[in-house]
Structures are given as C-alpha cells and as structure tokens.
C-alpha cells in the first residue's frame, strides 16, 4: 500500500494539490471567471461573519444529521456534482466511496469521467446532475439511464453562462478525441508532474477525458470537447422545459444555480423539492456576490418544504455552520473535495469530509448547539454592516 499523505486543514490540502497537479489541470480545478472577483467573494463573505460563543451549557453530545431530497445524511455536507474528476485515477468512484464511508450523498455530474452505474454501485445515495445538452430525446435517454442505475434524485444545473475567461490564464481546451496531435499537445503538461502521471500508468491507464453520462444516441461515449461543442449549440431551456424534466423524472428534484428570489419562487412553483443557491463556484458571471450574502432572503421566500442548499467558498466546518445558521439545510462542497482527491484519491476526499465534520462539531460546541436545529442566526455576528444584499425580485 502506498504511503498516505496527511493534511490538517483545507488550506494545506489546497497547497499540496497545487504542487501535485500539472499546471493546466490545476488551472481547471481553481477555475473562476475573468478577474476572479466572485471566486474571492465566495470566501470573503464567510470571513465577514463571526460567532457569538458561549461558555455555559455547552453540549456533551451532538446530532449533525439532516435530510436532503429525502436522503438521510450524517452531517450537512454533500459532495457537489463536479465534472471531469480525472485528476486522480480514483475518479468519481473513489469520491463516491469516500462519501459513503463518511455517511453522506454523492452528487454526480453529467460531465463526470465515471458512469452513473459505477458511481451508484460505490454509493447508493447518488444524486445525478443533468445539464441541458442535446435534444429532448437525448436528455430523456440520460434521465432514464440514471433512473435505471438507481440514482436517488435528479439535479438540473442552469447557471452556466459560457464566459470561461480568466485573467490568470485558461488551460488548453479539453480534447475532442485522443489523436496523436491531441496527445502531443497535452503530453508536456502530463510529464511535468511525473508522479501524477505514474499514478495512472501504474493502473494501466492514461488521464483521458471521456464523459460516459453524455452518451450519444448510438451509445458511443464522447470526449469532453465534443460534448462541450454540443452543449454550446443547445438552446437554453425554458421554464416549460424544466417543468417537463421535473415531470419526466417524477422523483426528488433540485434546481441548482439559484441567485434571485424570483428564480427561487419559479423553481418552487414548477415543483422543485430543493434548490441550491449557487454562482457555480465563481464560474458563472464574475461580479455576482457570494450566495451566503442573500441565502437567508431566499430561504424566507420559499416554502419550508423546499430544501435550500448552497455552495461556494466552503473551506471549514465553521463555514458550514454559518450557512446552516442562515437557513441552509446543508451545503455542497466542490473544490474542497477536489483538493483532497488530487492529494490522495479516495483517502484524501475522506480526510476532507472528516475535517469538515470535526469542524462543524467543534463550532457547535463553542456556540452551545447540540443539533442542527439549535443553530440560528442569533449565533452570528455581522462584522460588515453592509454584509447582506437583497437579490433581485
């Protein structure tokens, strides 16, 4: 067995991941658009909120469990659907196993490198995430494949604006094939991190970017670049299209990418069981503020029967508690688990989840809350009087 790489917090995991990954892969993981204002604000917003700790009546036991989309989880952190996790040979299957070990659910992207069948096998509490790519017939076939595989719920993500410009550079475009020319273009990046490349070669693989969950009508599996071209050509879905998808699925259903009260209400009206307040981790329109800043407004605008989640900037357990205090049922993590995956595969992801779980419990001890329902807004101190912004109605 190879020696495990340990880290004590997510900042350390991020530094280790950056050193381990080829530059192009790291740029894709770090992501963010244009100058990265939104990317930074996702973290900055958490730092503008503090806690009011107590010294009396601190709890001796804790219940961190909750339920999202009818799925019971041991603590309020779910793995976000993130595309192309071919940054480590363990891939999405390894992430799914780590999530199952930690007692939480796995969000699986349409753009994943592993199939929904394999991921559900690794973690039965898998939520399949769909982008609106291709024709309705193609979308229906992918939905039915997720249903047949045993996915517990369906997410539709609608917040991509095709603006992947970055002031710090953009990595090479994902391949549309693995021709000699493509391999020659990507080879310098791979060989720049020989240990990373050798982790694949030891398993008789190369880090190729196929997307099996976006299979073609003939059943063939496209490379990322080909599927991306199809995505760019697909017409943006309407409210009626999303309602059609919700009815087609028929089970627990989430709309992800909510940024306004209006959109939150529309998602609830079309029958969404859950919504996720998200700016796509800073990968949507740069200049949109952190979801944390308007999370409470959106929670107040929808029925209590709608599970409200958020993502963006979660780096420690105390961040999760802040989101819960503002009304989130749970949070998604994206880059946080990718850092762990890059450092040590499945074990690295498990470390990340344990660090977050421990941080949640430590924070709840400090504020005197033994269960999530005890956490409320009064536990928070606003360090910036202009912290909260009103989302467009």
């Amino acid at each position: 067995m190879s020696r495990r790489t340990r880290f004590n917090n997510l900042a350390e995991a991020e530094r280790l991941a950056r050193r381990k990954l080829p530059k192009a892969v790291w740029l894709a993981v770090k992501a963010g658009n244009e100058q990265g204002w939104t990317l930074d604000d996702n973290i900055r917003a958490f730092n503008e909120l503090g806690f009011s700790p107590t010294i009396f009546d601190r709890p001796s036991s804790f219940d961190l469990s909750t339920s999202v989309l009818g799925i019971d989880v041991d603590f309020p952190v779910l793995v976000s659907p993130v595309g192309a996790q071919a940054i480590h040979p363990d891939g999405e299957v390894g992430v799914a196993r780590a999530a199952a070990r930690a007692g939480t659910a796995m969000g699986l992207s349409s753009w994943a490198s592993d199939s929904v069948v394999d991921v559900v096998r690794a973690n039965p509490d898998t939520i399949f995430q769909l982008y609106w790519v291709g024709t309705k017939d193609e979308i229906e076939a992918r939905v039915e494949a997720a249903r047949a595989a045993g996915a517990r719920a369906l997410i539709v993500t609608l917040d991509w604006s095709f603006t992947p410009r970055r002031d710090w550079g953009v990595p090479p475009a994902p391949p549309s094939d693995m021709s000699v020319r493509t391999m020659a273009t990507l080879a310098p990046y791979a060989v720049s991190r020989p240990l990373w490349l050798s982790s694949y070669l030891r398993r008789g693989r190369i880090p190729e970017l196929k997307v099996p969950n976006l299979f073609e009508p003939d059943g063939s599996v496209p490379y990322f670049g080909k599927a991306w071209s199809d995505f760019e050509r697909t017409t943006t879905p309407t409210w009626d299209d999303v309602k059609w998808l919700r009815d087609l699925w028929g089970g627990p259903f989430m709309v992800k990418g909510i940024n306004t009260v209006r959109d939150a209400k529309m998602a609830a009206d079309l029958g969404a069981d859950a919504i996720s307040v998200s700016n796509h981790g800073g990968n949507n329109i740069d200049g949109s503020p952190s979801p944390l800043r308007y999370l409470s407004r959106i929670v107040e605008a929808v029925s209590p029967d709608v599970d409200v989640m958020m993502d963006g900037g979660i780096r420690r357990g105390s961040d999760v508690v802040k989101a819960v205090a503002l009304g989130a049922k749970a949070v998604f993590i994206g880059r946080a688990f990718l850092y762990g995956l890059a450092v040590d595969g499945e074990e690295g992801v498990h470390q990340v989840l344990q660090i977050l779980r421990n941080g949640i419990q430590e924070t709840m001890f400090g504020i005197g809350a033994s269960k999530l329902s005890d956490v409320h807004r009064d536990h928070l101190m606003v360090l910036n009087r202009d912290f909260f912004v009103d989302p467009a109605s």
Side-chain angles (χ1 to χ4, degrees), residues 48-70:
E48 293 175 13
L49 279 181
F51 290 104
S52 300
T54 183
I55 59 172
F56 296 112
D57 300 322
R58 287 180 166 180
S60 57
S61 62
F62 299 90
D63 179 4
L64 309 185
S65 63
T66 189
S67 176
V68 178
L69 289 165

Side-chain angles (χ1 to χ4, degrees), residues 261-277:
V261 166
R262 175 180 179 272
D263 286 354
K265 289 180 175 179
M266 289 181 70
D269 288 345
L270 64 78
D273 303 288
I275 59 176
S276 182
V277 185

Side-chain angles (χ1 to χ4, degrees), residues 82-322:
V82 177
Q85 292 170 31
I87 61 173
H88 187 281
D90 284 356
E92 287 86 358
V93 168
V95 175
R97 287 195 297 256
R101 289 166 55 194
T104 193
M106 168 74 181
L108 179 68
S109 173
S110 296
W111 300 90
S113 303
D114 290 328
S115 73
V116 64
V117 171
D118 291 338
V119 171
V120 171
R121 189 179 297 123
N123 187 338
D125 288 332
T126 291
I127 306 168
F128 184 67
Q129 177 250 26
L130 189 81
Y131 279 89
W132 195 266
V133 183
T135 67
K136 277 192 171 182
D137 287 344
E138 291 170 331
I139 291 169
E140 182 172 356
R142 294 163 190 155
V143 168
E144 295 306 327
R147 191 196 313 277
R152 295 285 305 276
L154 186 73
I155 299 171
V156 58
T157 295
L158 302 173
D159 62 349
W160 187 258
S161 58
F162 297 101
T163 55
R165 296 178 295 272
R166 301 168 189 167
D167 289 3
W168 55 91
V170 179
S176 296
D177 55 41
M178 285 303 284
S179 64
V180 173
R181 180 177 180 180
T182 298
M183 295 178 71
T185 300
L186 299 177
Y189 297 98
V191 299
S192 70
R193 292 292 188 272
L195 292 178
W196 176 79
L197 180 59
S198 68
S199 68
Y200 279 90
L201 298 179
R202 284 196 300 271
R203 301 191 192 189
R205 300 175 55 190
I206 60 172
E208 61 180 357
L209 287 179
K210 284 189 172 183
V211 282
N213 300 307
L214 289 174
F215 55 85
E216 304 279 9
D218 62 2
S220 61
V221 175
Y223 281 91
F224 195 104
K226 165 63 168 60
W228 189 261
S229 295
D230 293 342
F231 186 25
E232 291 181 312
R233 290 194 296 267
T234 302
T235 303
T236 303
T238 65
W239 191 94
D240 287 336
D241 289 329
V242 180
K243 180 66 165 58
W244 167 82
L245 181 62
R246 194 266 172 277
D247 293 341
L248 172 67
W249 174 250
F253 183 78
M254 173 185 287
V255 176
K256 189 173 186 293
I258 298 296
N259 284 274
T260 69
V261 166
R262 175 180 179 272
D263 286 354
K265 289 180 175 179
M266 289 181 70
D269 288 345
L270 64 78
D273 303 288
I275 59 176
S276 182
V277 185
S278 171
N279 56 35
H280 214 102
N283 275 290
N284 194 16
I285 299 173
D286 197 33
S288 56
S290 163
L292 194 71
R293 298 188 186 278
Y294 46 83
L295 172 63
S296 62
R297 305 289 199 273
I298 288 178
V299 170
E300 292 165 1
V302 299
S303 165
D305 295 332
V306 177
D307 295 337
V308 179
M309 294 187 63
M310 72 148 290
D311 65 80
I314 304 292
R315 295 296 184 271
R316 49 191 59 83
S318 58
D319 294 340
V320 180
V321 178
K322 290 173 184 178

